[in-house]
Amino acid sequence: MSKTLLCGCACVEGSFDQRFHKRASFIASMGIKVFDKKADELPALWVGSRIPWLGIHAQGGTVRGNLLIPLLPGRIGPKRFKAVIDGLMRSGNAFFVEKNGRVLLMAENIRENAAPLARFKRAERGRTGAKQIKRGQEVPIAVLVRRVDLKRRLNLAAGVQRALPGLARVIERELRRL
């Protein structure tokens, strides 16, 4: 779990910026735990997630290794991308080429690989402005990179801080009822 420890107490539900999560599963993965057992210390709140890679989005960092980045305008899931690459490699149709100092994974446009290459052919037509891609033409699939630097994209602490005044009002209201 990604770890963020904050003093005080807050409710984080609904305080995340909408552009960072498009699925309900993101919010569902979040968890909070209040540490208030010690009477001589202020309570603390732990905000975390079951998503193992969330910390790199919260803090930024570098991912190292041989990474294939798909050359698509939209997103492709990791399982689907792996299946496409695996199918192209098994058929012997995928190969690496160095162009302008970059290593590209290319595939030849042949009939047996028409379905897996459909999205990549559409992307190539969009990049080049060509009406169609002929049989036998090479289609770029992905670029091979050694490392990716990710900037900080998610600020959990700020989300919790924004929720604190509302939470304090709710706590005060409940205390007045007692």
Side-chain angles (χ1 to χ4, degrees), residues 5 15 31 35 81 95 141 147 157 167:
L5 191 63
S15 64
F35 296 97
F81 185 59
F95 52 93
I141 305 298
R147 67 181 227 181
L167 180 64

Side-chain angles (χ1 to χ4, degrees), residues 4 12 16 30 37 45 66 69 77 87 89 110-111 115-116 130-131 141 144 176:
T4 302
V12 295
F16 294 109
M30 301 302 292
K37 300 262 192 253
L45 175 72
N66 291 330
I69 310 297
M89 291 292 208
I110 57 176
R111 186 183 308 266
K131 295 271 188 196
I141 305 298
L144 181 70
R176 274 191 236 122

Side-chain angles (χ1 to χ4, degrees), residues 9-73:
C9 186
C11 177
V12 295
E13 191 171 318
S15 64
F16 294 109
D17 194 352
Q18 287 293 324
R19 63 192 166 134
F20 293 121
H21 61 85
K22 300 198 188 280
R23 299 181 185 180
S25 60
F26 177 81
I27 293 294
S29 77
M30 301 302 292
I32 59 172
K33 184 172 182 181
V34 177
F35 296 97
D36 60 352
K37 300 262 192 253
K38 296 182 182 177
D40 58 332
E41 292 182 15
L42 287 173
L45 175 72
W46 177 84
V47 179
S49 174
R50 290 187 304 270
I51 301 172
W53 42 261
L54 185 68
I56 199 151
H57 289 295
Q59 298 157 359
T62 301
V63 179
R64 295 188 205 306
N66 291 330
L67 305 167
L68 279 173
I69 310 297
L71 294 172
L72 289 173

